[in-house]
């Protein structure tokens, strides 16, 4: 017992007289570990607490408070009661004692076993004895935290205190200036409002004391350790101000006043606060301010210079209107919604009659904002506005006026749609259906292209209004669209028409099948009339018509039912092109393949669509390609367009896209069919079967003919894009045949496709010894070819290696490093060096037809970063060691890699490579310049410090490139120079005169595109450091 | 905006933008020389109006037919049309056009900027000011004037 009190005594002594702050921790630890009790500590403190020196007393209380902060959880209710009584009493003591007293009280508010009534008495004492705003920052924070703590645990008791509590709080926060404390104070105010405390007669005081901070004007000091942002304060204050309708009568006039401010952020804040607060209000709260609010919002939208403010204004108007629409009307009160909408209509409607003046759009936007708020509002506004818009459209003759009116109409249709989603009422627009249709159709018949484009989008919006258009309207619309497709030359119009047809096909597939597709088919199969006269323009326009029909067919084919009708038409085109029964150019055949590809990409997933691909699509394509190839072999006379390599290349994505979307069972069947066709010459599944038996598609052909061997690209399309779960039959035999072909064949498309196909299969082959030995075998063969300089198939071997390297890189296979090492060593090779440098670009970029995610390839995330971080050092080393004439290969490889890295990574990694890249800018190769400049450009937007240090070197090199012989390099360097002007002013200002002088020359460049870039760059540099500029 | 800064012309007529220049194949050909033409000068002049957040093109202050360039003889002539005959901004707009052209064209060109005949009350006075090299140079020495001109020439950022 005695030992315990001596320990406490000595700690007290050292803390109070010895001023050793660390002893407070020891004392708290002593209490926690049970070495002595709080009571013993207080006894030990006895003399300090009763000392006649205020500083000693403060020190004593300080120790006690520090201990309580640690141990408030262990106190008994009785102890708490005594301590609170003591602390309350100490509040009346000398001012130096107050800070530790508040700290102690704050600790006590965290006790779970506060005796009843003590919270209230504590608060009373604080409010009575302390003037909060004359305290220091941290003590004020202490008071706020106390309030927050008590409000959390003793809500009922505080509510018993009534409005006094609110008054006490208002007094204590009145005049607070520190943002950290304001966040606390706003939180208390928000709790007061949302917790349902009785504000009593202090509502206005509470509003005054918080609203005086509105709008928040705060910019945190640089390097602010507290990290408080303006946005945080704005949100906290907004939650207080908009929390209760009781504030309405004070808040709304304040908002109207602040909207008048010239400060943009104040306007924005006011509008956003308005939108937030009215969601809580009823019409009686806003009724008397409607006129004022409307005037302010209107002014902001009419005269705004910023889109942000405009859209905030419109959002506020929508919120206000929906507030008015929500309220329940009593029989005697006036309908405030219609009063309000009357204001809007009165001020805006007449502007809609002046379609060439500036205010037509702000007015339309305001009306539409109100319109989209509720069904009732949309009804009132539509009825008031639509007739006059329609009438105007019919009376105006100028196309630009009509177009503006049509655009306004479209936005109304859109805003009506927004408020109608929930109920299945009749559309507000039903009354105007006929009139709307007639103006749309009349606009579609005009010759003005922009009017036609607008009309198609109005048509789309109308069609999307559920239950508005009837079948005959859609039929008529399809007739118009077909006519435009067949006759209209303007690309933008046909694009819009195709898009609109696609939207209609989604909603009305049956009508599209019966009305649109037959007409398009008929048109495509008509031969141009006067073939013999060879009228070029005629042929040209006929080609354009076919092109539009093809893209329209692709656009409408989303629903499986439509696809079943449209794909046979396209396959028919291919067949007729092959047989020559109808004349199709190579271009048209390629476009047909593109359309098929688009359909395969976009069709909705379904059993039906899968069957269609598996049974019809793929066999037909393979059969046609095979027929063409066989014909090409023996050929004489007219060549089928399907023999062309471009057509074959266009077929690959069709097959791969459709295979990649097959269901697993169908995919398995497709795989085995394709493999048996190519390995065994099994043609039984192909339609129009008249093929010779025992074809050997993967064996070396007689006389090295390539017309059959290149079909391997179709094999690649089908087996490399299947889902990974599908097993490819006879895979080992297939792989060795592919390896043989890719190393032995001399035809580029054939050996490249074989290499890609090999790589695609390797990428998906399960991990294990068989894969490892396969790769090692392949590498042995490749290396032996590459290492003999006289070999005739070095290019082939390199191609196979680079594709397999890509396949392994994507899946993080450990053997990948063997291949990279070989690749690095090839950078020094006399013949293959440049090719190896380009190979890095292939490794880093996404390939379109194989080894990508759409083909279900095994692609790990961030493989590019991984490759970069593992190999960049090797590359730099190789660069330093290489002889001068080989250095460009390394630079090219590096810029190929960096160019394909994601921008964020570039920005972080570039500083280390900067000197190398600057070197690349001064080497003679133009390709390297271009690729390096494109790496540099994104980094220049947020320049790292290293770059700024090298500014002189950078500017020198860029200015030198302005006179490069390649215009793309000139353009890229000028655009970099333009970006440089946004660097910190003090860094770039010294270069201003020099850059301006250098930029005078490209102003007279012989190429317009270069001049445009130069004008832009020079303009920016002129603004630098000039008043009103930057 | 408060009473004092009411716009002179709050609801001007808006004209359609002519859209981006269509890029031709010959522009991408390294070997072809593209002469400086009217449209190119017109594109350089997509300057902001000091009063409205609209370009001079949308307000029809500058039209392509009123831009004349002769690449061979090194002359450029631009006529601009103030939105209203008493527009107090006319001199400022003219100055901005002139400065923009001075900064954007090779110095071999002689640049002539004037008001479309019959569209402004004090047409002659403004034309005279704009044609006077020394007055233009003096105006650009004036920091507050240069500030407004630069604001007109800054690319819009919203």
């Amino acid at each position: 017992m005695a030992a315990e009190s001596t320990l406490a005594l000595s700690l007290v002594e050292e803390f109070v007289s010895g001023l050793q702050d660390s002893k407070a921790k020891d004392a708290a630890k002593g209490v926690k570990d049970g070495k002595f009790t709080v009571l013993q500590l207080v006894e030990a403190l006895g003399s300090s607490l009763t000392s006649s020196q205020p500083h000693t007393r403060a020190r004593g209380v300080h120790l006690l408070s520090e201990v309580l902060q640690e141990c408030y959880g262990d106190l008994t209710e009785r102890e708490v009661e005594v301590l609170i009584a003591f602390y309350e009493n100490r509040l009346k003591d000398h001012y130096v004692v107050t800070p530790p007293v508040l700290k102690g009280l704050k600790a006590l508010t965290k006790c779970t076993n506060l005796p009843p009534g003590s919270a209230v008495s504590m608060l009373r004492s604080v409010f009575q004895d302390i003037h909060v705003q004359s305290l220091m920052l941290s003590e004020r924070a202490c008071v706020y935290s106390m309030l927050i703590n008590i409000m959390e645990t003793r809500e009922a008791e505080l509510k018993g205190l009534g409005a006094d509590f609110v008054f006490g709080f208002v007094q204590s926060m009145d005049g607070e200036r520190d943002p950290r404390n304001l966040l606390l104070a706003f939180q208390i105010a928000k709790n007061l409002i949302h917790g349902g405390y009785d504000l009593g007669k202090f509502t206005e005081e509470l509003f005054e004391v918080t609203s005086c901070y509105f709008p928040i004007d705060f910019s945190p000091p640089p390097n602010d350790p507290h990290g408080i942002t303006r946005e945080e304060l704005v949100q906290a204050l907004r939650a207080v101000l908009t929390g209760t309708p009781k504030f309405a009568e004070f808040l709304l006039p304040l908002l109207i006043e602040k909207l008048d401010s010239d400060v943009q952020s104040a306007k924005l804040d006011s509008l956003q606060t308005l939108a937030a607060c009215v969601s809580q209000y009823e019409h009686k709260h806003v009724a008397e301010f409607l006129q004022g609010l409307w005037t302010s919002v209107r002014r902001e939208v009419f005269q705004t210079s910023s889109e942000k403010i405009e859209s905030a204004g419109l959002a506020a108007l929508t919120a206000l209107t929906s507030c008015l629409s929500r309220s329940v009307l009593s029989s005697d009160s006036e309908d405030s919604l219609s009063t309000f909408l009357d204001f809007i209509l009165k001020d805006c409607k007449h502007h809609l009659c002046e379609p060439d003046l500036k205010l037509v759009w702000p007015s339309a936007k305001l009306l539409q904002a109100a319109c989209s708020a509720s069904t009732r509002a949309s009804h009132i506004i539509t009825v008031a506005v639509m007739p006059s818009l329609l009438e105007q459209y019919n009376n105006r003759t100028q196309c630009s006026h009509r177009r503006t009116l049509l655009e306004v109409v479209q936005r109304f249709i859109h805003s009506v749609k927004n408020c109608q989603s929930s109920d299945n009422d009749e559309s507000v627009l039903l009354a105007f259906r006929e009139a709307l249709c007639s103006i749309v159709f009349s606009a579609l018949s005009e010759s003005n292209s922009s009017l036609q484009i607008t009309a198609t989008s109005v048509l789309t919006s109308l069609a999307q209004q559920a239950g508005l258009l009837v079948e005959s309207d859609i039929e008529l619309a399809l007739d118009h669209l077909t006519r435009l497709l067949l006759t209209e030359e303007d690309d933008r119009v046909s694009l819009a028409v195709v898009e609109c047809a696609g939207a209609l096909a989604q909603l009305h597939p049956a009508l599209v099948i019966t009305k649109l597709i037959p007409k398009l088919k008929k048109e495509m199969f008509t031969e141009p009339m006067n073939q013999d006269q060879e009228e070029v323009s005629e042929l040209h326009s006929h080609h354009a018509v076919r092109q539009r029909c093809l893209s329209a067919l692709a656009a409408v084919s989303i629903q499986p039912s439509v696809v079943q009708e449209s794909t046979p038409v396209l396959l028919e085109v291919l067949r007729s092109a092959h047989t020559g029964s109808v004349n199709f150019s190579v271009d048209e055949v390629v476009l047909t393949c593109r359309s098929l590809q688009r359909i395969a990409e976009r069709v909705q997933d379904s059993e039906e669509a899968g069957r269609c691909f598996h049974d019809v699509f793929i066999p037909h394509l393979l059969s046609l390609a095979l027929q063409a190839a066989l014909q090409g072999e023996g050929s004489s006379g007219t060549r089928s367009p399907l023999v062309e390599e471009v057509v074959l290349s266009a077929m690959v994505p069709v097959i791969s896209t459709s295979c990649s979307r097959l269901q697993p069972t169908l995919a398995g069947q497709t795989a085995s069919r394709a493999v048996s066709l190519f390995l065994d010459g099994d043609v039984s599944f192909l339609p129009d079967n008249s093929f010779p038996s025992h074809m050997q598609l993967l064996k070396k052909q007689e006389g090295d003919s390539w017309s059959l061997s290149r079909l391997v690209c179709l094999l690649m399309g089908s087996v490399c894009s299947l889902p990974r779960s599908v097993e490819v039959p006879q895979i080992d035999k297939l792989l060795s045949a592919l390896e043989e072909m890719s190393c032995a064949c001399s035809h580029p498309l054939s050996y490249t496709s074989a290499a890609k196909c090999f790589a695609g299969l390797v990428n998906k082959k399960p991990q294990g010894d068989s894969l490892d030995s396969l790769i090692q075998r392949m590498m042995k063969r490749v290396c032996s070819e590459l290492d003999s300089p006289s070999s005739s198939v070095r290019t082939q071997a390199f191609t196979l290696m680079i594709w397999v390297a890509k396949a392994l890189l994507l899946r993080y296979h450990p053997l990948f490093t063997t291949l990279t090492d070989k690749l690095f060593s090839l950078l020094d090779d006399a013949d293959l060096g440049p090719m190896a440098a380009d190979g890095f670009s292939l490794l880093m970029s996404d390939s379109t037809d194989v080894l990508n995610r759409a083909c279900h390839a095994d692609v790990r995330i961030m493989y590019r970063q991984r490759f970069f971080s593992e190999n960049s050092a090797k590359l730099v080393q190789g660069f330093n060691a290489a002889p001068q004439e080989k250095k460009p290969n390394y630079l090219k490889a590096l810029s190929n890699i960096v160019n394909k890295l994601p921008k964020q990574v570039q920005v972080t990694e570039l500083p280390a490579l900067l000197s190398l890249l600057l070197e690349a800018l001064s080497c003679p190769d133009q390709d390297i310049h271009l690729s390096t400049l494109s790496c540099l450009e994104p980094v220049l937007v947020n320049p790292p410090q290293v770059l700024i240090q090298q500014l002189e070197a950078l500017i020198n090199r860029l200015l030198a490139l302005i006179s490069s012989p390649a215009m793309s390099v000139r353009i890229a360097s000028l655009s970099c120079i333009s970006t440089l002007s946004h660097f910190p002013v003090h860094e770039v200002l010294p270069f201003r005169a020099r850059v301006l002088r250098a930029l005078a020359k490209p102003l007279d460049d012989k190429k317009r595109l270069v001049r445009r870039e130069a004008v832009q760059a020079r303009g920016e540099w002129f603004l630098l450091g000039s008043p009103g500029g930057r | 905006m408060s009473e004092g800064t009411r716009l002179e012309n709050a609801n001007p007529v808006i004209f359609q933008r002519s859209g981006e220049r269509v890029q031709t194949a010959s522009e991408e050909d390294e070997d072809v020389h593209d002469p400086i033409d009217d449209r190119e000068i017109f594109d350089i002049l997509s300057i902001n109006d000091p009063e409205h957040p609209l370009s001079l093109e949308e307000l029809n202050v500058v039209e392509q037919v009123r831009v004349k360039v002769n690449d061979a003889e090194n002359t450029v002539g631009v006529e601009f049309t103030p939105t209203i005959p008493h527009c107090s901004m006319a001199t400022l707009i003219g100055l901005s056009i002139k400065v923009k052209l001075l900064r954007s064209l090779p110095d071999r060109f002689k640049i002539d900027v004037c008001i479309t005949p019959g569209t402004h009350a004090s047409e002659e006075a403004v034309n005279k000011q704009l044609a006077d090299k020394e007055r233009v140079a003096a105006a650009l020495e004036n920091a507050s004037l240069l500030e407004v001109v630069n604001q007109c020439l800054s690319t819009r950022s919203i």
Side-chain angles (χ1 to χ4, degrees), chain A residues 501-809:
Chain A
L504 291 181
Q506 278 275 43
L507 303 160
H508 306 278
L511 284 175
V512 168
I513 291 171
T514 53
K515 296 284 293 184
L516 187 68
I517 293 182
K519 277 193 192 148
L520 296 185
K521 181 176 177 183
K522 179 163 161 268
E523 193 62 29
M524 272 196 296
F525 284 95
T526 343
E527 298 267 356
M529 302 276 245
N530 33 8
Q531 240 173 330
D532 309 323
Q533 295 162 16
E534 283 186 12
E535 252 189 68
V536 182
S537 66
E538 182 92 3
L539 271 175
H540 183 76
S541 78
H542 190 255
H543 171 68
V545 169
R546 279 182 172 169
Q547 194 176 336
R548 291 196 293 269
C549 291
L550 286 170
S551 60
L553 275 179
V556 297
S557 307
I558 298 174
Q559 302 261 18
S561 60
V562 184
V563 171
Q564 281 182 333
E565 297 300 319
S566 61
T567 46
V569 178
L570 294 171
L571 286 173
E572 182 65 35
V573 171
L574 293 182
R575 194 170 307 115
S576 331
H578 173 60
T579 56
S581 61
V582 182
N583 224 344
F584 285 98
S585 71
V586 174
D587 265 0
E588 287 160 356
V589 176
V590 170
L591 282 172
T592 313
C593 292
R594 295 262 159 77
S595 296
L596 281 168
Q597 183 193 348
R598 236 182 118 217
I599 295 176
E601 279 162 6
R602 292 173 64 224
V603 65
Q604 287 167 354
D605 261 321
S606 70
E607 180 72 30
E608 222 177 336
R611 280 265 153 224
C612 177
F613 287 149
H614 177 259
D615 295 342
V616 186
F617 229 61
I618 298 171
H620 271 87
L621 278 177
L622 285 175
S623 154
L624 283 170
L626 195 54
Q627 282 174 22
L630 286 170
Q631 183 210 44
E633 222 180 16
S635 83
S636 56
T638 50
R639 264 157 63 99
S640 149
L642 271 68
V643 179
E644 301 296 329
E645 218 156 278
V646 271
V647 176
L648 202 57
S649 310
M651 278 185 179
V652 177
V654 182
I655 292 199
S656 76
T657 317
S658 36
C659 282
S660 70
R661 298 194 60 186
L662 286 178
Q663 289 85 353
T665 44
L666 295 180
Q669 283 180 35
T670 306
S672 63
R673 280 172 174 187
V675 171
S676 62
L677 170 64
F678 277 85
L679 278 182
D680 313 327
D682 175 8
V683 291
S684 57
F685 75 98
L686 298 179
D688 311 328
N689 199 339
S690 57
F691 301 106
S693 53
H694 304 301
M695 286 185 302
Q696 300 235 301
L697 294 172
L698 290 181
K699 288 279 154 54
K700 198 168 172 138
Q701 307 293 325
E702 225 171 292
D704 212 16
S705 147
W706 36 259
S707 66
L708 280 176
S709 70
R710 61 185 190 164
L711 290 182
V712 70
C713 65
L714 298 180
L715 174 68
M716 172 191 83
S718 55
V719 295
C720 290
S721 50
L722 299 169
R724 247 178 286 165
S725 55
V726 175
E727 208 174 313
V728 179
Q730 306 188 60
I731 186 150
D732 293 321
K733 194 174 162 198
L734 187 62
L735 282 169
S736 64
L738 286 169
E739 185 188 318
E740 178 59 36
M741 183 166 182
S742 65
C743 283
C745 186
S746 64
H747 178 242
L749 179 64
S750 307
Y751 71 72
T752 314
S753 304
K756 281 170 156 180
C757 188
F758 185 86
L761 292 171
V762 164
N763 177 267
K764 288 183 193 168
K765 198 167 156 61
Q767 200 93 23
D769 290 340
S770 92
L771 178 63
D772 291 354
S773 64
L774 174 76
I775 296 168
Q776 274 149 359
R777 200 183 65 217
M778 185 252 356
M779 265 316 270
K780 211 171 136 204
R781 175 157 184 190
V782 165
C783 286
S784 78
E785 298 290 356
L786 287 175
D787 291 342
S788 86
S790 60
S791 165
S792 61
V793 291
R794 288 186 88 205
T795 316
Q796 282 87 326
F798 176 79
T799 310
L800 179 60
M801 185 187 85
I802 193 87
W803 279 103
V804 175
K806 184 168 173 69
L808 299 181
L809 166 67

Side-chain angles (χ1 to χ4, degrees), chain A residues 259-262 267 299-300 302-308 351 354-360 400 403 450 965-968 970 992 1000 1003-1009 1011-1012 1015-1016 1018-1020 1022-1023 1026-1030, chain B residues 1-2 5-7 10-16 20-21 23-24 26-37 40 44 52-54 71 100 102-106 108-109 143-144 146-148 150-151 153-155 158:
Chain A
L259 268 171
D260 229 357
S261 145
D262 275 335
K267 286 183 198 255
R299 185 191 55 224
E300 290 320 312
F302 272 10
Q303 292 186 3
T304 186
S305 52
S306 131
E307 278 174 38
K308 256 194 202 150
H351 286 304
E354 304 154 337
D356 52 350
L357 297 190
K358 180 192 171 198
L359 289 183
V360 63
S400 63
R403 190 181 70 138
S450 48
M967 75 185 242
S968 50
R970 297 204 293 275
R992 183 173 185 259
L1003 289 180
D1004 214 0
D1005 197 280
K1006 69 173 179 177
K1007 298 308 298 174
R1008 186 169 294 129
L1009 297 174
R1011 293 198 294 265
R1012 194 164 69 189
V1015 166
Q1016 157 80 13
R1018 199 157 189 259
E1020 295 289 324
F1022 256 112
L1023 293 177
S1026 178
R1030 273 189 300 278
Chain B
M1 215 156 291
S2 49
T5 55
R6 277 269 169 253
L7 298 178
N11 192 9
V13 181
I14 307 291
F15 292 81
Q16 206 187 335
E20 290 277 300
R21 181 180 191 137
Q23 208 160 311
T24 60
S26 75
E27 280 179 35
E28 281 159 33
D29 185 346
E30 296 267 4
D31 304 321
V32 179
H33 180 102
D34 314 324
I36 296 181
D37 61 11
E40 188 173 340
I44 289 176
H52 300 278
L54 293 164
D71 198 12
K100 178 76 182 178
L102 283 171
R103 288 177 183 180
S104 311
L105 290 177
R108 62 188 166 94
F109 281 99
S144 59
L146 184 59
E147 187 176 338
V148 185
N150 276 336
Q151 274 163 5
L153 302 187
S154 298
T155 34
I158 296 172

Side-chain angles (χ1 to χ4, degrees), chain A residues 204-226:
Chain A
E204 186 167 2
E205 274 74 11
L206 182 62
F207 178 78
E208 287 298 329
V209 83
T210 47
S211 68
C212 63
Y213 300 99
F214 182 86
I216 297 271
D217 179 21
F218 168 66
S219 39
N223 311 321
D224 178 21
H226 312 292

Side-chain angles (χ1 to χ4, degrees), chain A residues 193 203 241-250 277 280-282 284-285:
Chain A
I193 291 165
T203 312
L241 295 182
T242 62
T244 167
K246 288 185 192 133
F247 284 164
E249 55 177 318
F250 316 116
C277 75
Q280 309 261 347
Y281 294 175
E282 286 175 40
K284 61 173 189 248
H285 299 121

Side-chain angles (χ1 to χ4, degrees), chain B residues 111-155:
Chain B
I111 296 162
D112 184 28
V113 176
C114 57
I115 292 182
T116 313
T119 58
H120 196 266
S122 39
E123 185 184 323
E124 247 173 74
V126 175
N127 285 346
K128 209 169 161 193
Q129 284 187 25
L130 289 173
D132 188 335
K133 260 189 202 163
E134 278 167 26
R135 286 182 79 170
V136 170
L140 295 180
E141 295 288 315
N142 178 336
S144 59
L145 212 51
L146 184 59
E147 187 176 338
V148 185
V149 169
N150 276 336
Q151 274 163 5
C152 298
L153 302 187
S154 298
T155 34

